[in-house]
Amino acid sequence: MISKKICMLGSFSVGKTALVARYVHSIFSDKYLSTVGVKISKKNVSSGGKDFSLILWDLEGKDLYADVNLSYLRGAMGFFTVADGTRKETLEAALELRKAAHDTVGQIPGYLLINKEDLSDAWEVTDAMLDNLTRQGIKYFRTSAKTGLAVEEAFTSLARDMLQNA
Amino acid sequence: MTADSTTVPEHSAGMSDDVSAVSAGTAFWGDIPEKPTDGELVQLRNLLFRREIVLLERLRELQDDQRYTARKISEVLAEAIQLRAGKDPLVGLALEPVVDDVVRTLLRKRRGDFVDSLFPLMGPSIRKSIAETFRSMLGSFSKSMEMAFSWKGLRWRFEAMRSGRPFSEIVMLNTLVYRVEQIFFTHGETGIPLAHVASDEVYAQDAEMVSSMFTAIQDFVRSCFAGGGEGDLESLQLGEYTIIIEKKSQAYLACVVRGTPPVAFREQLHATLDFLLLEYADALAEFSGDTAPFAGAAPYLGDCLSSRYVDDDKKLPWWSKALPVLLILVLACGLGYCSYRENLHAQLRQALMEKQKAFTATMESALNVLRAEPGLLVTNVVSGHDAPWEATVLKDALADTPEAVLQVHGIDPKLFSFKSVPYISYDPEIVARRAKTDITLPDTVTMDFDGKGTLSFKGTASMGWIVKTRDEARSLPGVERVDISGLRDPMMDRISALIKEVEATVVEFVLGKDTPVPQDAPKLQKAVDSLVELEKIVQDMGFTVTLTVYGHADATGTEKRNYEISQARTRTVAAMLYARGSAMPIAMYGMGAVYPKDGQPAAPAQNSGQGDQASRRVELRVHVMRSAAADPESLLLSQP
Ligand SMILES: Nc1nc2c(ncn2[C@@H]2O[C@H](COP(=O)(O)OP(=O)(O)OP(=O)(O)O)[C@@H](O)[C@H]2O)c(=O)[nH]1
Ligand SMILES: [Mg+2]
């Protein structure tokens, strides 16, 4: 069996736990239970005819990325940085985290998820900002843990990238 | 010669007898010729064969000597038997009954010797086979069966009934010294389990998640407590489980253990991990998530799965196993003794528990006494099996000390060691006490606290005291409202009377003059007296009297003149007061003829030429206020 460790990074309340719950259990809850430390989930997937399991490390979010315990990142083979579209400072934090993650574990696949797409009316993250990301070659998904939009797709493509990477 | 000849015949005669006797049975002697009887032949024979005859004689003697025969046979007996035994089993058969008899006799006579000499040969094998039998018997009966007959067993059964857990689990928990239930061989960085084993009795959770969690915990502990250095977590205690971690940088072993494993277990883990690291050095270096290369590690982990129960090493003495009957007897006795001892223990434990329960009850009731005590707040208790318990108590300055409270209730205060922290209690009882100590009541006043925040006073007292006390009472913690409606100042009655009297005074004046008409002069005098008295009374109470004088004229004469005259009339009153030494502020208003008496519109002068006398007057209004003039509380004293 092949296992891959994936970390979920991002400010608090951006929806890391919600995305994992949507992906692993196909559920969503409006309740906000802030994660303390780290919560580990697992999902068995198959890609390219191979079975393997993703071990998802859902880390607690902090205000300042500097506080995030990057030692949890050790051994990760892929990661997501998650931002909340309705709060643009979380996008800035996510980009910082992305840099810090690469500095810590090297060039492993890592995607940006801009979450809460179902609330797009209230988004502070503008199309201009998104264009900017594309220009910098940062791959992102507009996701919604609530509707499930692009969640499966994001995880699957990270998994595929990790397998090619290996 | 004769002597010789005489001896020989005797011998020969004897020999001949014997020879004939023997010859009858054996061919060997059968064809021997007759001995010569002729004298000369005899002589010749003796001469010729004397030596041979003697030799033969000797041989015959030997032949007859049994001891010689035995000796001779003995020399060849072993070979003979060997020879024969090789040919057929007859020797054995021939010997059997004899040996049988002999052994039987010997067994009967010397049993001890036989047992002594046989036991060393047979003992071990007997012991082994019995032990084997018992082990399997115990195994199949299971520990539960064994327990069914002991006190312990009954107690556990009861425990199982009470707790709703299966009996087997209770037995397991009570007899388990330790059991290594799961072992994870985990990659250090990723936390991905490379190999995992679990003992059969255990329901194993998803290995990958558990293992990742262990890694996360270690990461967490390292970053929190070891300042990011390499101080490592060696074990974790989670209820009845211990997680033992043996760690090297590339990988670690995490073992889920119930109970306390022996020290040697760690050494075994250490050795196992070293071995695995060596064995899988390459695979570990290249690891990128694929655990297939580590499939072979599981058996090594399996070797570390071990367990021990309390009863495993209770060995019975060897002899009890040699003889089954004895064994059973010993077992029976043993069980009897055990259950007796268990029983004794159970009783002791029961007694101890009862004692403990009684002790805890005493302590609890003592705490309840303290909790019920106003002004004391028990915030924290460090309890234990013995006194004293440490109790942190918030204590109002007016509350009794916890020690004193316990003493009053007949409880030994030494049962606790108290740490008291000052605080202000709003308990009604304490608030009442606080009011009592802080407020000094004259004999004429009673005070009552209703327990709901209202402090009320009844009786008579001076106004000064009333006001002062009301302010004091309001600032007491726990007092929300102060009710002084039941308080009366006797002086107040006098003040009210004086004010009423002064304000009722209307002094009429002579036409066109500022002197009162003669019949009203004493009235004015009296009013002035009253004002002076009033001023004196309220001054003592810290109040001031203010007087307002309204002067009026009748409609006779010009308007200007009327204002002047009405003003002059107010000055008359003021002058009288000042003449009496009063210092009260006086406001004087000349109202002219605008306000005739009885509210009549100003009427034209009457024929009498006296005008309207009733309208030529002064009226007085009195205000009493606190000396610090701006205080709205002054209203308190203005009378309706
Ligand atoms: N509308 C909407 N709400 C979302 C979405 N994703 C998450 N939420 C809500 O946002 C809140 C926070 O979600 P979590 O997943 O707990 O956030 P988190 O990032 O794990 O937060 P921490 O654990 O504190 O770091 C919850 O109330 C979720 O219900 C989404 O896609 N749409
Ligand atoms: Mg969370």
Side-chain angles (χ1 to χ4, degrees):
Chain A
M1 190 59 147
I2 297 176
S3 305
K4 298 281 177 189
K5 170 172 169 179
I6 296 178
C7 288
M8 307 289 297
L9 306 168
S11 305
F12 72 96
S13 193
V14 292
K16 299 179 292 296
T17 306
L19 285 165
V20 171
R22 160 61 68 191
Y23 177 57
V24 176
H25 306 292
S26 308
I27 50 171
F28 174 81
S29 159
D30 276 324
K31 240 188 244 145
Y32 175 37
L33 286 173
S34 190
T35 307
V36 177
V38 49
K39 182 166 177 288
I40 289 166
S41 315
K42 177 182 143 176
K43 171 112 169 169
N44 291 325
V45 290
S46 66
S47 171
K50 262 201 237 167
D51 283 343
F52 59 100
S53 44
L54 300 180
I55 314 291
L56 303 169
W57 289 46
D58 170 21
L59 309 185
E60 68 184 350
K62 291 274 173 70
D63 270 318
L64 290 169
Y65 85 92
D67 282 0
V68 173
N69 191 344
L70 287 172
S71 73
Y72 286 130
L73 268 170
R74 290 189 322 139
M77 294 152 194
F79 65 87
F80 285 112
T81 45
V82 186
D84 173 351
T86 65
R87 288 182 290 152
K88 78 171 182 301
E89 71 277 8
T90 64
L91 177 59
E92 283 150 24
L95 292 172
E96 291 282 341
L97 273 170
R98 186 185 152 81
K99 219 179 295 152
H102 280 311
D103 289 348
T104 314
V105 288
Q107 288 303 312
I108 57 172
Y111 293 161
L112 177 59
L113 303 182
I114 306 172
N115 193 37
K116 307 199 184 174
E117 144 72 34
D118 55 296
L119 303 176
S120 57
D121 288 347
W123 271 35
E124 286 177 6
V125 172
T126 60
D127 287 345
M129 294 179 196
L130 296 180
D131 287 348
N132 209 15
L133 291 177
T134 315
R135 229 170 296 127
Q136 292 175 46
I138 296 173
K139 191 160 177 185
Y140 68 87
F141 290 85
R142 295 169 59 122
T143 58
S144 166
K146 187 167 184 172
T147 63
L149 178 86
V151 175
E152 184 82 33
E153 190 189 337
F155 277 92
T156 312
S157 62
L158 184 72
R160 203 181 315 115
D161 272 18
M162 283 192 310
L163 282 190
Q164 276 162 11
N165 208 299
Chain B
M1 193 79 206
T2 317
D4 277 344
S5 68
T6 48
T7 51
V8 170
E10 276 174 26
H11 280 282
S12 56
M15 186 173 95
S16 118
D17 285 350
D18 269 348
V19 165
S20 58
V22 173
S23 71
T26 11
F28 183 71
W29 299 105
D31 48 356
I32 292 175
E34 287 291 303
K35 222 169 25 174
T37 45
D38 176 51
E40 276 174 20
L41 264 178
V42 169
Q43 242 178 345
L44 184 66
R45 190 180 71 123
N46 281 340
L47 273 176
L48 284 177
F49 299 111
R50 179 162 174 83
R51 186 181 134 79
E52 280 72 21
I53 290 169
V54 172
L55 259 173
L56 273 173
E57 206 55 34
R58 295 261 169 88
L59 270 174
R60 218 177 70 87
E61 278 169 22
L62 277 177
Q63 177 73 36
D64 287 349
D65 186 342
Q66 284 203 345
R67 276 169 307 168
Y68 174 79
T69 316
R71 207 167 58 223
K72 272 299 182 207
I73 292 177
S74 82
E75 276 168 17
V76 296
L77 183 63
E79 287 87 344
I81 292 178
Q82 212 172 14
L83 268 176
R84 186 61 196 269
K87 257 188 238 153
D88 56 48
L90 282 177
V91 184
L93 284 176
L95 282 177
E96 193 187 86
V98 183
V99 175
D100 204 52
D101 261 3
V102 168
V103 172
R104 223 178 274 281
T105 317
L106 278 174
L107 267 175
R108 199 167 49 238
K109 285 188 182 156
R110 304 170 61 179
R111 179 172 209 128
D113 287 358
F114 267 81
V115 172
D116 281 354
S117 52
L118 281 177
F119 188 77
L121 294 177
M122 298 159 66
S125 53
I126 296 174
R127 208 182 307 150
K128 194 163 165 237
S129 86
I130 289 176
E132 209 48 61
T133 315
F134 262 81
R135 191 168 307 138
S136 62
M137 190 178 90
L138 281 183
S140 61
F141 268 41
S142 90
K143 285 209 154 4
S144 319
M145 193 60 206
E146 175 192 342
M147 292 309 156
F149 296 111
S150 70
W151 264 102
K152 209 190 316 192
L154 280 178
R155 252 182 328 115
W156 292 347
R157 209 166 268 289
F158 183 67
E159 196 179 321
M161 253 160 58
R162 211 185 34 197
S163 62
R165 298 212 262 185
F167 180 55
S168 57
E169 191 180 328
I170 301 287
V171 172
M172 196 270 291
L173 285 175
N174 276 293
T175 57
L176 189 69
V177 174
Y178 80 95
R179 182 166 80 189
V180 181
E181 301 198 333
Q182 297 191 59
I183 302 182
F184 297 85
F185 176 38
T186 300
H187 186 243
E189 283 198 337
T190 56
I192 293 169
L194 306 170
H196 167 239
V197 291
S199 78
D200 299 338
E201 298 95 322
V202 174
Y203 165 73
Q205 294 276 333
D206 186 299
E208 280 162 317
M209 285 173 62
V210 175
S211 175
S212 295
M213 207 62 224
F214 284 161
T215 307
I217 291 170
Q218 291 177 67
D219 286 349
F220 176 74
V221 169
R222 199 176 307 117
S223 67
C224 285
F225 302 117
E230 279 301 298
D232 273 324
L233 189 64
E234 291 197 330
S235 71
L236 268 177
Q237 195 75 43
L238 299 168
E240 49 201 7
Y241 291 100
T242 307
I243 288 128
I244 295 185
I245 295 171
E246 182 66 35
K247 186 167 170 61
K248 288 279 162 68
S249 62
Q250 307 97 307
Y252 65 86
L253 291 177
C255 308
V256 182
V257 182
R258 226 190 244 262
T260 319
V263 183
F265 179 65
R266 236 201 208 277
E267 285 157 19
Q268 188 186 2
L269 280 185
H270 191 82
T272 308
L273 180 60
D274 279 352
F275 171 79
L276 290 175
L277 291 181
L278 211 66
E279 183 78 10
Y280 294 106
D282 294 342
L284 279 168
E286 291 162 6
F287 181 72
S288 71
D290 187 0
T291 56
F294 301 91
Y300 298 107
L301 301 183
D303 288 347
C304 299
L305 287 178
S306 58
S307 63
R308 198 161 76 81
Y309 291 83
V310 220
D311 289 338
D312 278 7
D313 59 354
K314 250 190 216 162
K315 289 241 166 67
L316 291 164
W318 61 267
W319 44 265
S320 66
K321 292 183 182 174
L323 299 167
V325 176
L326 192 55
L327 177 72
I328 286 164
L329 268 175
V330 167
L331 267 181
C333 290
L335 279 178
Y337 173 67
C338 282
S339 68
Y340 163 76
R341 216 180 44 177
E342 263 313 312
N343 192 0
L344 210 69
H345 274 191
Q347 280 176 8
L348 278 176
R349 211 166 308 145
Q350 188 71 28
L352 220 74
M353 259 165 59
E354 225 109 84
K355 207 175 134 215
Q356 193 63 46
K357 230 195 270 167
F359 170 71
T360 313
T362 315
M363 298 306 274
E364 273 307 324
S365 69
L367 283 174
N368 284 335
V369 164
L370 291 178
R371 288 187 184 111
E373 180 67 20
L376 294 184
L377 206 66
V378 182
T379 54
N380 189 30
V381 178
V382 184
S383 61
H385 288 295
D386 294 310
W389 287 8
E390 274 170 42
T392 308
V393 179
L394 303 187
K395 180 184 168 299
D396 190 285
L398 292 167
D400 296 331
T401 64
E403 287 89 349
V405 172
L406 291 183
Q407 203 110 51
V408 167
H409 284 78
I411 301 167
D412 181 6
K414 290 206 189 63
L415 291 176
F416 292 89
S417 78
F418 289 109
K419 178 168 170 264
S420 77
V421 179
Y423 96 117
I424 292 177
S425 168
Y426 279 41
D427 187 291
E429 164 74 26
I430 294 296
V431 176
R433 243 182 253 181
R434 189 174 293 136
K436 242 172 242 156
T437 41
D438 287 10
I439 296 174
T440 336
L441 295 176
D443 294 342
T444 50
V445 178
T446 60
M447 177 173 71
D448 178 55
F449 184 66
D450 70 350
K452 292 186 212 100
T454 305
L455 184 65
S456 43
F457 296 88
K458 278 201 182 66
T460 55
S462 74
M463 207 58 215
W465 183 88
I466 293 173
V467 172
K468 185 182 106 251
T469 303
R470 185 202 53 191
D471 291 351
E472 269 175 22
R474 275 183 182 164
S475 68
L476 287 180
V479 175
E480 283 156 31
R481 289 168 298 278
V482 178
D483 178 6
I484 52 169
S485 63
L487 275 180
R488 219 167 40 76
D489 181 353
M491 219 38 126
M492 280 308 293
D493 297 344
R494 177 74 188 135
I495 292 171
S496 315
L498 287 171
I499 293 174
K500 213 178 268 167
E501 187 196 311
V502 170
E503 292 197 336
T505 307
V506 178
V507 181
E508 293 177 1
F509 281 75
V510 178
L511 176 68
K513 296 238 167 97
D514 58 2
T515 43
V517 295
Q519 63 270 31
D520 278 2
K523 255 208 242 172
L524 180 58
Q525 194 56 53
K526 187 138 189 295
V528 167
D529 288 347
S530 298
L531 280 168
V532 170
E533 186 189 346
L534 182 66
E535 185 180 23
K536 169 112 188 51
I537 293 173
V538 300
Q539 211 160 32
D540 290 349
M541 290 163 48
F543 290 82
T544 323
V545 181
T546 313
L547 177 69
T548 309
V549 186
Y550 297 98
H552 297 278
D554 65 13
T556 330
T558 64
E559 192 182 322
K560 181 165 174 277
R561 174 68 195 143
N562 280 340
Y563 275 109
E564 279 169 8
I565 195 70
S566 64
Q567 185 76 40
R569 284 167 183 157
T570 64
R571 277 198 297 272
T572 305
V573 177
M576 282 176 77
L577 271 167
Y578 292 142
R580 293 284 301 274
S582 163
M584 77 176 69
I586 302 171
M588 291 165 280
Y589 298 104
M591 312 294 285
V594 183
Y595 298 97
K597 184 72 177 167
D598 303 329
Q600 297 291 328
Q606 279 163 13
N607 293 341
S608 64
Q610 285 301 299
D612 172 16
Q613 180 171 326
S615 293
R616 294 189 301 268
R617 68 195 193 278
V618 292
E619 288 177 10
L620 304 171
R621 293 289 173 269
V622 178
H623 295 278
V624 177
M625 354 187 170
R626 259 197 161 164
S627 299
D631 191 345
E633 299 289 342
S634 61
L635 295 175
L636 183 88
L637 292 182
S638 40
Q639 298 292 315

